[in-house]
Structure formats: structure tokens, C-alpha cells
Amino acid sequence: MVRPVRFTATTVASIQLLCQAAPVLGAPEHASNLTIAFGNNASGNNFHASPSVTTVALAWSDPLSDTATGNAYNLQLSLVNNLASTNVHAYVTGLDSAGTLVFMQPSGGWVHPSNPTPGVPQAVTADIAILLGSEGSSTNIVLPGYVTSGRVYIADGTLDFFTIRGQSGPALIQPGSVNPIDTSTETNWGFVELTTSVADGVFADLTHVDFVGLPLGLTLENADGTTQSAPGMPRSGVADVCRGLRAQAKIDGQPWDRLCLNDADSNLLRVLSPPNYLGFNGDAAFGDYFTAYVGKV
């Protein structure tokens, strides 16, 4: 369980998120720069020493008089593609200041999905995929307003999003990370969780609760030039984890190795959490894992 970090000094100028780990960083509304970076999970050096990483910089703009949305600040995202891919996309979604589900469009505005028929998932067909430039280039976008329960998805490819009718409007169905009938499962992707508000500024975290895939990490840069970082795992992290899981499976006979998910071409994509694996495989794996321990205590 990661303990959130709250920064209260008004001298905080920027936050950098280097997509490799899963801590939480926060900054007051005076924060001006937030960077998210991610790299592929091929073998190699730690992300900080490798150019094969994509960076996303998020920055508060100067105070705005935004009467249309009731927001006093906007957040700039600078998406810097350092992956050797020309098919990297970003998706930004969350709840706006009215608590309504929104997606950001490449043109810069929010789009509100329609409320689908009860019980029937509806594909989000609006233009919400933000194509990053080629390796080494930057793509700058500005959030139209504050967002809560937000996520910035990064995918080496494209993702599919769906909604279902909720109690107060459309609710988001996240892209799949394990469901074999969800085309997003075959895509290498990760996400950053993000919340911004006039009272608290910005909170962002990189969670590995469900799976670990693209290497993620966080760095916060203050106005005085100092930084606080959670560098996270190296680019080879997923492969390293799977190597350890295969070794553990041989030791205790549990199917740890099955948590490693490959695409159709046998490329390693991600490592699933045991609950995610069990939820879609329905076997009795790990059922007696703690039996001996419980008997002792």
C-alpha cells in the first residue's frame, strides 16, 4: 500500500512523473510542471539512463478567468515521445467539475459521452486518441479544466473505451488488461491517475494494483530546482519479475508463471495481479497458499 505524499510549500514549481513506479505525489495549486515518462519493457538500463522512454510533462498555466468551466487554473501536459514507435497514443479521461465523465479530444476540449441504454455497453466513438509525435518529439496539450478520478493512458498502439449507464450518467469501462475478448489486452499500455482541484492543486500516482507493464515512475521538481523522485523499476522490470515468478513456480508448485501475459506474437506485455488472473481464468490456483501459514498462527 503506497502512502500518499502531500507537499504544502507554496514554492513548489513543478512535478515530474517518470513512468516507472507507483507512489503518489502531490503539489498545491502553485505547482507549474508535472512530467510523466514511460519506456518499453525490453531488457536495458534503468529508464533514467535510457533514451527509450516517453515523457509527459504536466504544468499549471498562469491563473485564468475560466467562466465557462468555473476553473481558475488549467494544467498543461507535454507528451514527449522517446519510444522507438510512431504509433504512441495518449488518452485523458476523468470527471469534470460537475462530476460528469469526460474525455479530452486532440483539439483540446472535453467530450461528454452519451448515456447508453441500461445494461448495454456503448463504445466511445469520439476522437479521443492523441497521437504523439515521432521519437524525441513533444506534443503539448492543456486540460480544459479541473479533473477528478482522472487517468492519462499511454499506449503503444490504440485502446478501446466503453461506457455503461450509471446512477448519474455514463460510467467508464476501462480498457482490458487480461480479458481475451477486449482488443486492448493485446496492446502494451499503462496509465497515470490524476486529480486536480482549486483547493488542493494536483495529485498524481502510478498504480500497479491490477498489473505492471510499461515501466512507471515519479519525480517532483520544486521551484528552487530540487526534486523528489520515485524512479521505479528499470526498463527490464517486467521481464525481471517474470523471471522471478517462473523460478518461484518451480519452488512451490503454484502457477506464478501464468501471471505473465504475452501478446499473440509471444512478446511479453505485463504481469497480472493474482486476483486479476483468477478473475478471468476461474481455476483454483493459490487457493491453499496461506493454509499452512494460517495453521501456524
Side-chain angles (χ1 to χ4, degrees):
M1 191 74 173
V2 176
R3 184 180 182 86
V5 180
R6 182 73 175 101
F7 297 92
T8 57
T10 57
T11 56
V12 174
S14 65
I15 298 178
Q16 293 186 332
L17 281 76
L18 309 177
C19 295
Q20 288 183 311
V24 179
L25 293 185
E29 62 185 56
H30 298 288
S32 65
N33 194 17
L34 182 66
T35 301
I36 309 168
F38 65 91
N40 59 45
N41 51 30
S43 60
N45 296 325
N46 185 281
F47 150 77
H48 292 296
S50 169
S52 299
V53 179
T54 294
T55 304
V56 183
L58 293 80
W60 287 113
S61 66
D62 292 330
L64 302 176
S65 177
D66 191 351
T67 56
T69 61
N71 297 317
Y73 292 86
N74 291 89
L75 190 65
Q76 178 176 289
L77 289 72
S78 297
L79 315 178
V80 183
N81 183 12
N82 290 319
L83 285 175
S85 172
T86 58
N87 194 32
V88 179
H89 293 83
Y91 302 82
V92 182
T93 183
L95 303 178
D96 65 9
S97 55
T100 304
L101 177 66
V102 291
F103 286 87
M104 186 173 180
Q105 296 184 294
S107 59
W110 290 137
V111 60
H112 296 76
S114 60
N115 208 10
T117 302
V120 180
Q122 176 176 283
V124 177
T125 58
D127 183 13
I128 58 172
I130 302 171
L131 177 65
L132 275 61
S134 59
E135 182 178 7
S137 66
S138 299
T139 303
N140 297 325
I141 59 177
V142 177
L143 294 184
Y146 294 115
V147 60
T148 58
S149 301
R151 286 187 173 187
V152 180
Y153 292 85
I154 305 292
D156 189 6
T158 58
L159 298 175
D160 294 321
F161 292 85
F162 294 83
T163 61
I164 194 166
R165 181 181 287 265
Q167 292 184 344
S168 57
L172 179 63
I173 299 176
Q174 308 287 350
S177 60
V178 63
N179 188 348
I181 65 173
D182 190 326
T183 56
S184 296
T185 299
E186 285 281 306
T187 301
N188 196 8
W189 60 274
F191 62 89
V192 173
E193 293 181 330
L194 178 70
T195 288
T196 65
S197 72
V198 65
D200 296 319
V202 55
F203 282 91
D205 72 86
L206 302 144
T207 175
H208 294 323
V209 173
D210 296 323
F211 68 91
V212 59
L214 287 176
L216 305 175
L218 299 173
T219 297
L220 183 142
E221 181 181 346
N222 296 294
D224 60 4
T226 61
T227 61
Q228 300 183 48
S229 300
M233 67 180 184
R235 289 172 53 211
S236 61
V238 171
D240 293 341
V241 170
C242 282
R243 191 176 301 111
L245 290 173
R246 287 193 292 269
Q248 184 62 35
K250 294 179 180 178
I251 294 172
D252 62 18
Q254 298 287 348
W256 296 106
D257 53 321
R258 298 182 197 169
L259 303 181
C260 301
L261 186 67
N262 297 332
D263 64 16
D265 296 322
S266 298
N267 297 310
L268 182 59
L269 287 176
R270 61 187 64 95
V271 179
L272 304 175
S273 67
N276 260 20
Y277 168 79
L278 294 173
F280 281 91
N281 288 276
D283 58 28
F286 308 109
D288 61 349
Y289 190 76
F290 290 106
T291 300
Y293 175 77
V294 171
K296 293 179 180 179
V297 299

